[in-house]
Amino acid sequence: MVCFTEVFDRKWFFLFLVSVVFSLLTLLFLPAILQRFSFASHVTFQYYVRQLLFVIPFLPIGLFLFSILPLRKFLDYSRIINNLNTRSFLLIVFFLSLIATNLISHFFFDHIPQGDAVVTTFQAKIFARGYLWVQPPQFPQFFLKEMIVHNERWFSMVQHGHSFLLTPFLLLRIPWFLGPLLGSCSLLLFFFFMRECTDEKGAREGTLLLLLSPIFLLISASYLNQNSSFFLTLLGLLFFSLSIKRSNRLFPFLSGLFCGLAFFSRTTVVVFVLPMIVMMVLTKRKKAVQTIIFFLAGLIPALSIQLFHNLIYTGNIFQFGYALHGDHQLHHIGFGMGKGESTYGIAGHTPVKAIINLCYNAFSFSLHLFGWPLISLFFIPFALMRRKRTLWDIFAITVIVVTIVFFAFYWFHGISPMGPKYYYGILPLLILLTVRGIKKTAVRPLVSILVIFNIVCYIPYSLRIFHQEWGTNNRCYHEIEKMSIHHALVFIQNLPGTNEHEITINRHNYLSVAFRNEPILKQGSIIYAQDLGETQNMQLMREFGKRKPYVFKYYAGGKAWRLQPFVNHALETETK
């Protein structure tokens, strides 16, 4: 007779039983508990709750499979990836990433920009037409609110680094390809960075985890400026890691240069700078001053590009486009009333809201970092245990802490179904600590099981929710093509409701077509405008009187839509 202990690991079998109870309690009581809190009704939060309720049963299943001793020897993914030579491994992960992100971009994002990326794409269209800015429209309130009107100039409030990179892809008519290309190249950079921080095996393991990270796949498939910032930051980290081990003066210079260029896409790269300088002091010692000088020699001129850009666009080197946005409260930094919109029922920005935002980001990362049921961050504490802790562990946790403090002063959590976007820049360091933690706990077969669940269940389910309920879409565009409409003015009408689902749909209604406008509106076959009501719409219809007006509207809670001629009785009377 086979003994129980010969088949099962008693410790992990006990954890399996505990996880069964935990999962059942979560499934039975979490929905009822969340109904008591108004913020839990928000669509984005509900997205992650649905993900959690879907994947939480896989926690006990995974622990049960891992507790079976004979099964473990077949589930060590490290043996598979380490049997390949370095070139083959890198080619495989590069093309897997390129294929996967392009498929997501095509089938789930419709090859169009999502959310914040719409205004970045529109600015790239301005560059592609040979302009730095264009003349603002007579009635800018009908168009993208993220476009700034300043000194007779119309330009994006978002930093323009990513728009510059997107411009040649727009000219080639493949703008959707930039994100997947940058993401796939970032995988290679991350491998070389990890190899400097750990070893060849650690680099391969980390690269595999990054490749299969839902947040990485979704953002890499998008037009978001996080892609260029991530790529340039990884270049900065790679040359920084090379400068730590080697005496070549070019490495710290290039590290500073690429970090500075990343600032032109997103300001968040600043969280790396001070920890980098401290790391140089700790590792280079006598050559620390020289290394820091070369680092700053690359960093400062690159940072100056953004400052010079500010001077050209806003007239003040320290004033970003955000500061000129009509709704100032959206971009206020710090605590107090009037700092941002009301969230969680809390007006302004408070330390309590900062803590809630942090917990919300930790919750979404616990799922979306690797697609594991609430344990995507589980291995990081093990990397920070006193025994065999490295300087790279300390550097990683320092940057993470600085990032948390940095975003504590901003009112918004920054989470979307793509993941915690504001924290995307620290993804390499979270994976570095995860790899170190997995190595210390020696549970790679369990990780293999979780990786399989992520690929087969979590990623497909998250994409399905995203495609059905979130983001920009081609519905209006397809209706226009189906009806062969040209030389028209199309008003995009919002749903009349005020529930969270309809508010979310409304937020993306106009974004779904806004980027299709020509920077000089009259040059486009179709002009897309927001429906502001008959009285205000008449202003635009008078300006573009030769274009036939249409209205695109949702109904039935956003599940149905139609495009029809715009009937304006007041304008008809006026014409007669």
Side-chain angles (χ1 to χ4, degrees):
M1 185 175 178
V2 179
C3 179
F4 177 86
T5 55
E6 292 178 359
V7 178
F8 292 98
D9 183 319
R10 285 187 298 179
K11 178 179 66 176
W12 286 97
F13 190 83
F14 174 74
L15 288 175
F16 151 68
L17 295 176
V18 172
S19 70
V20 169
V21 176
F22 173 74
S23 299
L24 287 174
L25 291 174
T26 301
L27 291 169
L28 292 173
F29 296 108
L30 183 64
I33 293 171
L34 289 176
Q35 285 180 358
R36 299 173 179 269
F37 301 95
S38 58
F39 73 86
S41 64
H42 193 279
V43 174
T44 311
F45 188 80
Q46 281 293 315
Y47 171 89
Y48 285 102
V49 171
R50 287 172 65 183
Q51 289 283 78
L52 170 60
L53 296 178
F54 176 72
V55 299
I56 197 66
F58 295 114
L59 179 59
I61 294 172
L63 292 174
F64 174 74
L65 293 174
F66 181 65
S67 69
I68 302 174
L69 294 173
L71 192 62
R72 290 184 182 179
K73 62 181 179 180
F74 299 108
L75 291 171
D76 189 352
Y77 60 88
S78 64
R79 288 189 304 173
I80 299 172
I81 60 177
N82 289 322
N83 281 337
L84 299 167
N85 62 54
T86 301
R87 180 180 295 179
S88 298
F89 174 77
L90 292 178
L91 284 173
I92 289 171
V93 296
F94 176 83
F95 283 107
L96 281 176
S97 171
L98 199 63
I99 292 167
T101 50
N102 271 294
L103 289 174
I104 293 170
S105 176
H106 176 71
F107 289 106
F108 297 95
F109 295 168
D110 297 315
H111 271 168
I112 62 176
Q114 303 288 322
D116 298 341
V118 169
V119 69
T120 303
T121 305
F122 193 72
Q123 181 63 44
K125 290 185 76 170
I126 294 175
F127 293 149
R129 302 302 183 267
Y131 306 107
L132 292 177
W133 55 77
V134 291
Q135 191 81 10
Q138 186 177 354
F139 304 106
Q141 65 271 24
F142 285 95
F143 306 101
L144 279 169
K145 65 179 182 179
E146 294 84 5
M147 294 295 290
I148 301 298
V149 176
H150 180 68
N151 290 340
E152 293 302 309
R153 299 170 180 176
W154 203 38
F155 57 90
S156 164
M157 71 177 187
V158 179
Q159 286 156 277
H160 293 172
H162 190 69
S163 296
F164 274 116
L165 290 177
L166 188 58
T167 300
F169 290 83
L170 268 172
L171 292 170
L172 293 170
R173 299 187 178 184
I174 51 169
W176 42 266
F177 191 64
L178 175 62
L181 181 62
L182 287 175
S184 302
C185 291
S186 295
L187 269 174
L188 305 185
L189 295 176
F190 180 65
F191 169 83
F192 293 114
F193 167 69
M194 280 288 292
R195 193 165 66 175
E196 293 297 319
C197 299
T198 55
D199 52 28
E200 176 84 15
K201 290 183 179 180
R204 292 183 182 215
E205 191 169 1
T207 304
L208 178 67
L209 291 178
L210 179 59
L211 170 64
L212 299 176
S213 170
I215 182 174
F216 170 78
L217 290 172
L218 288 168
I219 288 182
S220 294
S222 75
Y223 288 60
L224 287 170
N225 60 358
Q226 274 86 355
N227 284 303
S228 57
S229 176
F230 189 72
F231 173 76
L232 292 166
T233 301
L234 270 171
L235 272 171
L237 284 172
L238 173 59
F239 284 109
F240 170 67
S241 65
L242 291 170
S243 67
I244 294 299
K245 288 187 176 181
R246 296 162 177 77
S247 299
N248 192 323
R249 297 172 183 176
L250 182 61
F251 293 149
F253 173 80
L254 290 174
S255 176
L257 176 68
F258 287 117
C259 285
L261 291 175
F263 186 75
F264 195 27
S265 289
R266 288 186 63 79
T267 56
T268 51
V269 71
V270 298
V271 301
F272 288 87
V273 174
L274 185 57
M276 281 177 160
I277 292 173
V278 172
M279 184 81 160
M280 291 174 190
V281 172
L282 293 175
T283 56
K284 302 303 288 187
R285 298 186 180 179
K286 292 181 180 180
K287 293 186 177 181
V289 174
Q290 182 187 79
T291 306
I292 292 169
I293 288 173
F294 278 98
F295 176 76
L296 295 176
L299 178 71
I300 293 172
L303 285 176
S304 300
I305 295 173
Q306 178 65 55
L307 301 181
F308 181 64
H309 172 276
N310 291 346
L311 180 64
I312 292 174
Y313 280 86
T314 70
N316 183 336
I317 62 172
F318 298 114
Q319 187 175 52
F320 290 77
Y322 297 101
L324 299 175
H325 189 268
D327 194 351
H328 298 295
Q329 68 170 349
L330 290 177
H331 306 290
H332 278 174
I333 305 295
F335 298 104
M337 295 300 295
K339 305 285 188 179
E341 294 180 343
S342 176
T343 50
Y344 316 116
I346 302 172
H349 189 41
T350 67
V352 172
K353 186 185 283 189
I355 293 171
I356 296 174
N357 283 344
L358 174 60
C359 293
Y360 191 5
N361 276 278
F363 166 64
S364 55
F365 256 138
S366 71
L367 290 166
H368 224 51
L369 179 58
F370 300 122
W372 302 342
L374 283 183
I375 58 171
S376 288
L377 299 172
F378 175 78
F379 296 100
I380 290 177
F382 293 97
L384 303 175
M385 290 179 175
R386 187 175 299 276
R387 186 169 148 272
K388 293 185 180 180
R389 190 167 54 196
T390 70
L391 274 175
W392 283 111
D393 297 335
I394 297 170
F395 171 76
I397 198 63
T398 301
V399 173
I400 292 168
V401 170
V402 172
T403 303
I404 290 170
V405 173
F406 181 82
F407 283 113
F409 292 97
Y410 191 60
W411 68 275
F412 189 57
H413 49 72
I415 294 176
S416 80
M418 292 186 188
K421 294 187 298 182
Y422 290 173
Y423 287 80
Y424 188 60
I426 61 172
L427 196 59
L429 304 181
L430 292 175
I431 293 177
L432 168 63
L433 292 175
T434 299
V435 170
R436 297 268 299 148
I438 291 172
K439 184 177 180 179
K440 287 186 178 181
T441 52
V443 290
R444 285 193 179 90
L446 174 60
V447 174
S448 299
I449 295 167
L450 295 172
V451 163
I452 293 169
F453 288 151
N454 175 43
I455 296 170
V456 175
C457 302
Y458 186 91
I459 292 175
Y461 187 66
S462 64
L463 288 170
R464 177 170 167 266
I465 297 175
F466 187 100
H467 190 58
Q468 290 178 346
E469 302 180 12
W470 190 272
T472 50
N473 56 74
N474 273 322
R475 291 162 191 160
C476 180
Y477 178 72
H478 286 159
E479 290 294 318
I480 288 171
E481 287 208 318
K482 188 193 304 181
M483 297 168 65
S484 299
I485 294 172
H486 302 282
H487 200 67
L489 173 62
V490 178
F491 291 98
I492 312 301
Q493 187 178 101
N494 283 332
L495 286 164
T498 56
N499 65 64
E500 287 291 345
H501 177 69
E502 294 185 352
I503 289 172
T504 301
I505 290 176
N506 288 342
R507 189 180 300 121
H508 293 278
N509 279 349
Y510 183 61
L511 294 180
S512 294
V513 290
F515 69 95
R516 296 188 185 278
N517 278 330
E518 282 297 315
I520 300 173
L521 295 170
K522 64 182 180 181
Q523 294 179 355
S525 173
I526 308 292
I527 296 175
Y528 299 94
Q530 298 183 75
D531 187 336
L532 301 181
E534 284 197 10
T535 303
Q536 292 192 63
N537 290 354
M538 282 181 63
Q539 297 175 319
L540 212 57
M541 286 189 283
R542 288 194 189 99
E543 183 184 0
F544 301 103
K546 294 182 179 180
R547 293 175 180 264
K548 185 173 180 179
Y550 290 82
V551 61
F552 179 81
K553 60 173 70 176
Y554 282 100
Y555 58 97
K559 296 178 181 178
W561 52 87
R562 63 172 172 259
L563 177 69
Q564 62 189 38
F566 190 100
V567 179
N568 189 309
H569 300 292
L571 188 62
E572 286 180 354
T573 303
E574 182 181 289
T575 304
K576 290 177 182 178

